[in-house]
């Protein structure tokens, strides 16, 4: 049975159970600020950026096996870039 998704939102909804499981695991391991969307964005922007024709089971495996440290580092770097952009934009005024 091949599953194809019409939109990225459909795929996200299908992966929600795995994303929630990973979020709960991360909370138990000291990352209470990580949300499902953070895990999703990390995988989408880092791990799957060049991937093609991924199967659902591969994506679920990637979600559950994702490195907590790498997700945390990705999120912190993203926040750091956003803060730098805001700071430099305010200085130009």
């Amino acid at each position: 049975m091949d599953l194809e998704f019409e939109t990225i939102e459909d795929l996200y909804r299908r992966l929600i159970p795995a994303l929630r499981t990973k979020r709960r695991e991360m909370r138990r391991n000291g990352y209470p600020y990580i949300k499902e969307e953070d895990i999703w964005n990390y995988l989408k922007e880092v791990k799957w950026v060049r991937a093609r024709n991924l199967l659902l089971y591969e994506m679920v495996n990637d979600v559950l096996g994702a490195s907590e440290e790498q997700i945390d580092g990705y999120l912190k770097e993203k926040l750091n870039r956003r803060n730098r952009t805001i700071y430099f934009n305010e200085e130009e005024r």
Side-chain angles (χ1 to χ4, degrees):
M1 177 172 132
D2 289 338
L3 293 174
E4 291 191 23
F5 299 94
E6 297 288 324
T7 66
I8 196 82
E9 291 81 15
D10 289 341
L11 177 58
Y12 178 82
R13 281 192 293 276
R14 188 64 178 229
L15 288 171
I16 280 288
L19 292 165
R20 284 183 180 150
T21 298
K22 185 65 176 181
R23 177 187 48 86
R24 282 192 298 269
E25 175 186 316
M26 291 186 75
R27 285 196 175 166
R28 281 193 309 271
N29 291 331
Y31 300 95
Y33 48 87
I34 302 285
K35 299 181 281 192
E36 288 95 351
E37 296 86 16
D38 300 325
I39 301 164
W40 166 257
N41 288 329
Y42 163 76
L43 291 165
K44 190 174 65 162
E45 295 173 15
V46 175
K47 181 136 177 94
W48 300 329
V49 71
R50 290 185 180 84
R52 298 286 177 258
N53 301 318
L54 285 170
L55 300 174
L56 185 60
Y57 82 88
E58 294 172 315
M59 297 180 87
V60 169
N61 189 55
D62 288 343
V63 170
L64 298 176
S67 164
E68 295 175 356
E69 293 82 11
Q70 288 179 345
I71 294 169
D72 183 54
Y74 158 83
L75 184 60
K76 287 177 179 174
E77 177 59 30
K78 191 173 177 179
L79 290 171
N80 199 9
R81 278 191 308 245
R82 185 181 317 144
N83 289 340
R84 281 194 306 254
T85 301
I86 291 169
Y87 174 77
F88 288 119
N89 286 339
E90 287 177 355
E91 264 193 2
E92 291 176 359
R93 291 182 192 167

